[in-house]
């Protein structure tokens, strides 16, 4: 998503020694950018990782191919999401997953996101997760760990040749099946191409009239959403000053294109 940066009209008339502000790399910064950003932690992780999976398919020219989600079961107690895009090499995994605010989408309005935060969202629910990516016949595994809520670290666990289909898999060791299921149901209800999930998901039925959708509010946790290319972002009345919201039992969903509104 292209980020709109307003132009500055400030002029400097005198020659002073100028200094560039910096950001101290601390666990406080990471807590603010990940823990503090996401209120609905499971919903946010599903939304962010699904957005990345969709973007990977668009980039690979396969937008109509569904990505896959596996919810924790009695026999496999981990959540995972897999796309079939071009995958990432080791250097790109380190670059984009290993650096806060690093993104490849800042000038691309065909892609969700651009803030370089979403792929780190698993840390909102767990202290470690694994990324496995297959790119050009090389399968790379990287584990990310955050000890004592500090600055995360990562290490390469494997790098082997493979004939598996390209793509990226995110594996999160968290067994709250119902929370993951509710998150998939609410966050991905607006997708025209739903993911393949290892259990049945009872998505709410959204009725659209032009760019406004309605669904009974008992079916979604929030009253207002923005549907940005199929991904539902919850927002508050105060986010759009002057807007009038009818007092109904329905949740309202506003459709918009990627780039119309900057959302993390």
């Amino acid at each position: 998503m292209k980020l709109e940066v307003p132009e500055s009209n400030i002029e400097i008339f005198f020659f002073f020694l100028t200094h560039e502000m910096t950001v101290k790399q601390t666990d406080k910064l990471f807590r603010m950018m990940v823990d503090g950003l996401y209120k609905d932690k499971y919903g946010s992780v599903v939304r962010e990782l699904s957005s990345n999976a969709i973007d990977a398919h668009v980039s690979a020219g396969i937008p109509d191919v569904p990505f896959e989600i596996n919810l924790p079961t009695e026999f496999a107690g981990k959540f995972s999401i897999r796309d079939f895009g071009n995958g990432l090499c080791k250097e790109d995994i380190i670059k984009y997953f290993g650096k806060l605010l690093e993104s490849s989408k800042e000038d691309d309005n065909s892609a969700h996101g651009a803030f370089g935060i979403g792929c780190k969202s698993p840390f909102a629910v767990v202290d470690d997760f694994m990324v496995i990516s297959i790119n050009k016949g090389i399968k790379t595994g990287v584990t990310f760990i955050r000890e004592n809520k500090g600055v995360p670290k990562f290490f390469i666990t494997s790098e082997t040749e493979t004939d598996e289909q390209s793509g990226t898999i995110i594996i999160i060791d968290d067994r709250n099946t119902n929370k993951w299921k509710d998150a998939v149901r609410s966050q991905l209800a607006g997708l025209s191409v739903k993911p393949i999930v290892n259990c049945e998901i009872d998505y709410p039925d959204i009725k659209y009239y032009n760019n406004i959708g309605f669904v009974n509010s008992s079916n979604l946790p929030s009253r207002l959403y923005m549907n940005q290319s199929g991904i539902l972002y919850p927002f508050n009345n105060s986010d759009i000053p002057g807007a009038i919201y009818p007092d109904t039992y329905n949740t309202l969903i506003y459709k918009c294109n990627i780039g119309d509104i900057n959302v993390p």
Side-chain angles (χ1 to χ4, degrees), residues 86-99 102-104 119-120 131-136 138-142 144 154-159 168:
N86 296 322
L88 299 169
C89 63
K90 177 179 68 176
E91 291 74 19
D92 281 345
I93 295 175
I94 293 171
K95 179 179 181 180
Y96 297 118
F97 281 84
K99 188 175 183 180
E102 185 69 51
S103 175
S104 62
C119 65
K120 296 84 173 175
V131 177
I132 299 173
S133 201
I134 303 160
N135 170 258
K136 297 180 180 179
I138 301 297
K139 183 176 183 178
T140 305
V142 183
F144 294 82
F154 58 88
F155 53 91
I156 311 298
T157 55
S158 62
E159 192 173 10
T168 299

Side-chain angles (χ1 to χ4, degrees), residues 158-207:
S158 62
E159 192 173 10
T160 59
E161 294 185 357
T162 183
D163 57 1
E164 295 178 59
Q165 187 172 352
S166 65
T168 299
I169 311 164
I170 314 294
I171 303 172
I172 301 172
D173 191 355
D174 183 281
R175 305 191 179 202
N176 287 291
T177 304
N178 289 334
K179 289 185 178 180
W180 288 118
K181 189 173 183 179
D182 288 343
V184 169
R185 181 178 175 276
S186 63
Q187 299 298 320
L188 307 183
L191 291 177
S192 56
V193 179
K194 300 288 196 300
I196 297 173
V197 186
N198 62 334
C199 68
E200 185 176 351
I201 303 294
D202 181 24
Y203 293 105
D205 184 22
I206 304 173
K207 303 293 185 183

Side-chain angles (χ1 to χ4, degrees), residues 1-4 108-113 211 226-229 240 254-263:
M1 176 178 68
K2 290 184 179 179
L3 298 179
E4 299 295 331
D108 186 358
N109 265 346
S110 68
H112 298 84
N211 289 327
M226 177 179 61
N227 180 339
Q228 193 173 78
S229 192
I240 306 180
Y254 294 85
K255 272 188 177 182
C256 69
N257 297 317
I258 295 176
D260 288 350
I261 300 176
N262 287 344
V263 292

